[in-house]
Amino acid sequence: TEQGEQTTLEASSDPAGGVLILAGACLVLAGIIYMYVQRVRRKTATVRAASPASTAPAATTQAVSIPSAVLLLILGVSPGFIAEASDSPGNAPPAPVMNVDALRQITVLHSGRLKPLDSYAREYARYIFERRQYQGEDPVTTAASLLFEPEAWLDRPLFFIPEGEMREILGGSDQAPRVSASHVLSRETVERIKLVPETRAGLRGEIEEIYRRAGAISGAADSIGLLPVMGPQSEREWLTAAEVPYALSNIDMRAVEAWRKTADAFKKRDSVAFNQAAAEFGAIQSEVLATWRATHPQAACESQVKLELFSNQFFLTGRSAWLYLLVFAASALLYLRPRTYTLQACLGLLAIPFATHTLSIALRWLISGYMPLTSLFESGIVLGWGGVLLGGVLAFVQRSTLMAVV
């Protein structure tokens, strides 16, 4: 509601991530369909045993099985869509839609590596809001607002505080369970946080995580590097987005002016002027980075940054997960009505998401320059790819349709 009241049940965090949740949903759905198939088979066998000369009842049972299976699939998949479209943090209406394509292509230094601002925006939205988007807004638009007008975000109720001790410390109520960044960062709240004993490590960890997310609201402009400092006497290697507008030396002043124009145009919600200024800054930044990369060969090259931007736009990992789910549904329906070509059809359908899955891993490898096995998320992607490959090969060798479906 407009007063920030919540009337729906919601979780404070999602540590598992969308991929693991999707995998779990697929397993549950697979179990439901498997039990349903076994039940249909038992009924069919019973009917045939009772009437060996007649196949009509069996045909009727099989005919009914397909729409019933479709209904099961709809019931199994619909909660995911409902959850995805459910409550998003905050109650303020989103800003007017802007075209921010020029900004998303700018290269930034974040978490120790060069990446397009588009990647930073997606990661930051996931970290602060624990969702891919804030109220359906383009993450780059959200990031631009955080960079250029962070004060507009400080009083928005963004952080859900669960009932119990955390709510006693960080605030919130049953009517308004979300609190703002300014409230979390206030002196009174900080004093209450300090009173939490060190022995309550779990509670302190959850509170400190919310505190860091609140601090990220006001510190977005300090979290990314925009331009390398080229002077030989410079103490710092990169200037952050917060420092560029006030730089006076050891930096291309054309970039400073272009970044100021970009900020002013965004605050006025002038898409044309905004993209012109952002494109101008991007061109100047490319010249500076070309010189900087000459002395830093280990840094990501321009082609890798562009490849990462391309990968972000297609989101192959997420698309592969949904394609796997759709192929599983189609294969399950084929399995309910077996034909001579069922195995080949199942394997052929499986090849579609497997190809996009393979391409997503290859892109990650090219972007990072090493095998994507450095995190649990990347390891899960690669292990899942290996599992699909092994299952497909075994299904083909053993001519097992059920294995191909599962």
Side-chain angles (χ1 to χ4, degrees):
T1 65
E2 293 183 359
Q3 291 75 27
E5 298 178 353
Q6 303 292 329
T7 58
T8 57
L9 180 66
E10 56 183 332
S12 60
S13 63
D14 178 15
V19 175
L20 291 180
I21 291 175
L22 181 59
C26 290
L27 290 176
V28 172
L29 193 58
I32 293 174
I33 293 179
Y34 178 76
M35 290 188 293
Y36 182 77
V37 170
Q38 295 303 316
R39 183 179 179 183
V40 170
R41 284 187 166 183
R42 285 195 298 268
K43 285 187 176 180
T44 303
T46 302
V47 172
R48 287 178 177 173
S51 305
S54 175
T55 59
T60 303
T61 304
Q62 289 286 348
V64 174
S65 66
I66 290 182
S68 301
V70 171
L71 179 60
L72 283 174
L73 290 172
I74 293 175
L75 292 175
V77 175
S78 59
F81 289 101
I82 294 173
E84 186 66 23
S86 63
D87 173 67
S88 60
N91 56 26
V97 177
M98 284 189 62
N99 182 342
V100 291
D101 287 340
L103 185 66
R104 76 174 71 249
Q105 301 175 39
I106 289 176
T107 302
V108 299
L109 179 68
H110 180 245
S111 298
R113 74 178 184 91
L114 295 181
K115 63 181 70 172
L117 192 139
D118 181 77
S119 294
Y120 158 79
R122 293 168 186 265
E123 295 169 6
Y124 223 58
R126 173 69 73 177
Y127 174 66
I128 294 177
F129 310 117
E130 296 186 323
R131 300 176 66 88
R132 289 196 301 272
Q133 295 177 322
Y134 172 75
Q135 296 186 339
E137 188 177 61
D138 184 344
V140 178
T141 302
T142 304
S145 182
L146 287 167
L147 290 173
F148 300 132
E149 45 189 18
E151 65 282 352
W153 292 84
L154 292 177
D155 293 324
R156 296 188 186 184
L158 301 174
F159 306 105
F160 175 81
I161 310 299
E163 294 184 27
E165 291 181 285
M166 285 188 63
R167 187 168 291 181
E168 294 177 3
I169 298 169
L170 296 179
S173 63
D174 293 338
Q175 292 73 31
R178 293 186 180 274
V179 299
S180 65
S182 59
H183 176 81
V184 174
L185 300 174
S186 65
R187 178 178 299 178
E188 294 79 5
T189 304
V190 172
E191 292 299 326
R192 288 197 297 269
I193 294 175
K194 291 179 180 179
L195 297 177
V196 179
E198 296 289 343
T199 54
R200 303 294 303 281
L203 178 62
R204 285 187 66 91
E206 294 179 5
I207 292 176
E208 289 173 359
E209 178 62 21
I210 294 178
Y211 185 83
R212 284 191 291 268
R213 287 169 53 204
I217 294 289
S218 59
D222 292 311
S223 64
I224 57 172
L226 276 185
L227 284 172
V229 179
M230 306 304 294
Q233 305 298 326
S234 60
E235 297 180 0
R236 298 184 57 183
E237 194 170 352
W238 280 71
L239 290 180
T240 67
E243 296 169 330
V244 166
Y246 307 102
L248 299 176
S249 61
N250 297 331
I251 191 173
D252 193 323
M253 297 308 296
R254 296 177 302 159
V256 174
E257 185 61 27
W259 189 249
R260 289 174 180 170
K261 291 179 181 178
T262 304
D264 291 340
F266 182 84
K267 293 175 181 178
K268 296 176 182 178
R269 298 298 188 268
D270 187 342
S271 295
V272 176
F274 175 81
N275 280 289
Q276 289 177 348
E280 180 184 353
F281 177 85
I284 299 170
Q285 184 195 53
S286 296
E287 298 176 8
V288 177
L289 286 180
T291 304
W292 181 80
R293 284 191 176 100
T295 57
H296 297 78
Q298 76 281 1
C301 62
E302 185 176 2
S303 60
Q304 287 176 301
V305 175
K306 291 182 178 180
L307 188 62
E308 183 172 351
L309 179 62
F310 169 83
S311 177
N312 290 345
Q313 301 307 308
F314 286 93
F315 190 45
L316 291 177
T317 303
R319 293 180 188 275
S320 299
W322 282 110
L323 284 174
Y324 276 126
L325 182 59
L326 293 176
V327 167
F328 170 74
S331 300
L333 294 178
L334 286 172
Y335 184 74
L336 292 175
R337 287 219 171 188
R339 298 289 189 273
T340 56
Y341 56 82
T342 299
L343 176 60
Q344 292 81 355
C346 291
L347 293 176
L349 290 172
L350 183 62
I352 299 174
F354 184 74
T356 59
H357 194 169
T358 304
L359 181 57
S360 69
I361 294 176
L363 286 176
R364 281 179 170 271
W365 198 335
L366 291 173
I367 292 168
S368 61
Y370 48 82
M371 184 68 176
L373 290 171
T374 58
S375 66
L376 182 61
F377 175 75
E378 291 181 340
S379 300
I381 292 175
V382 176
L383 289 175
W385 177 87
V388 173
L389 178 62
L390 179 62
V393 171
L394 291 177
F396 178 78
V397 171
Q398 298 184 5
R399 315 300 295 175
S400 172
T401 304
L402 180 60
M403 185 175 293
V405 173
V406 176

